[in-house]
């Protein structure tokens, strides 16, 4: 049965997918034109991602129970870190659009680093639980989001060091890496609960979706 926590996880995953896609489209426009065209989409994309990560953190909190508390803590903490990172990214991009370029890029680089750390913590949490298809997808999805976020942080550092074109291309690679990761996560949460496992006595062992998410 789908719980309210499950609904928040799935809704959050879709918002992550939409947010990363909007941001990647904006970054593509910015890279191809070598202008600020598309930065507004990157800002909006990060805002959508922050909402998605927040919904997932809240959903995980609602699904906590004594059996999964240790591993779920990784997911909750990681999701909140990602939300904080995305908010910092949005603030940094807003600063750039208002003319504070250097300070804005620094804030953006820091935010991407925080986001990457949060996704990495979620991937670690998934790796500590029982191996299932959905968990495997979560590890891959969060792993790609982590790599993409760190790439964006590196891209901003390149730009700060006046290697603008190289930095823009790294930002582009990082943004699309996150898109692939986010849509793998959508697939993970869309799989739903694993089929019941049969014990040695022939009886079904029933597990709730909360044991896997």
């Amino acid at each position: 049965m789908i719980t309210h926590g499950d609904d928040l996880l799935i809704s959050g995953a879709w918002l992550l997918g939409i947010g990363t896609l909007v941001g990647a489209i904006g970054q593509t426009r910015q890279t191809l034109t070598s202008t600020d065209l598309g930065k507004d989409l990157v800002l909006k994309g990060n805002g959508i991602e922050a909402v998605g990560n927040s919904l997932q953190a809240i959903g995980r909190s609602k699904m906590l129970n004594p059996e999964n508390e240790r591993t779920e803590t990784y997911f909750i903490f990681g999701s909140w870190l990602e939300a904080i990172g995305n908010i910092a990214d949005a603030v940094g991009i807003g600063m750039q659009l208002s003319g504070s370029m250097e300070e804005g890029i620094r804030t953006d680089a820091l935010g991407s680093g925080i986001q990457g750390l949060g996704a990495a913590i979620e991937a670690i949490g998934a790796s500590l639980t029982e191996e299932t298809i959905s968990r495997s997808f979560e590890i891959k999805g969060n792993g790609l989001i982590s790599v993409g976020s760190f790439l964006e942080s590196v891209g901003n550092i390149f730009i700060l060091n006046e290697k603008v074109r190289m930095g823009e291309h790294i930002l582009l690679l990082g943004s699309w890496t996150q898109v692939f990761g986010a849509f793998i996560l959508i697939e993970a949460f869309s799989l739903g609960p694993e089929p019941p496992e049969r014990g040695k006595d022939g009886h079904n062992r029933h597990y709730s979706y909360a044991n896997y998410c």
Side-chain angles (χ1 to χ4, degrees), residues 52 71 79 101 166:
T71 53
S79 292
M101 288 298 297
M166 177 64 75

Side-chain angles (χ1 to χ4, degrees), residues 88-162:
D89 284 341
V91 170
I93 294 164
M95 291 168 68
Q96 293 173 52
L97 288 172
S98 63
S100 302
M101 288 298 297
E102 188 171 336
E103 198 61 37
I105 293 171
R106 282 202 183 96
T107 304
D108 194 4
L110 176 61
S112 293
I114 294 172
Q115 184 186 358
L117 179 60
I121 289 172
E122 286 200 71
I124 291 170
S127 70
L128 295 175
T129 59
E130 183 177 352
E131 186 176 348
T132 62
I133 295 174
S134 60
R135 280 307 196 200
S136 176
F137 276 32
E138 281 191 76
I139 293 169
K140 292 173 183 174
N142 281 308
L144 283 173
I145 290 174
S146 179
V147 170
S149 298
F150 285 131
L151 281 172
E152 287 190 336
S153 185
V154 170
N156 280 308
I157 291 170
F158 268 77
I159 292 172
L160 284 171
N161 286 282
E162 299 182 354

Side-chain angles (χ1 to χ4, degrees), residues 169-191:
H169 283 93
I170 294 174
L171 284 172
L172 183 61
L173 176 61
S175 64
W176 283 104
T177 300
Q178 288 184 73
V179 172
F180 290 124
F183 278 89
I184 289 174
L185 283 182
I186 291 173
E187 182 64 24
F189 293 120
S190 298
L191 288 173

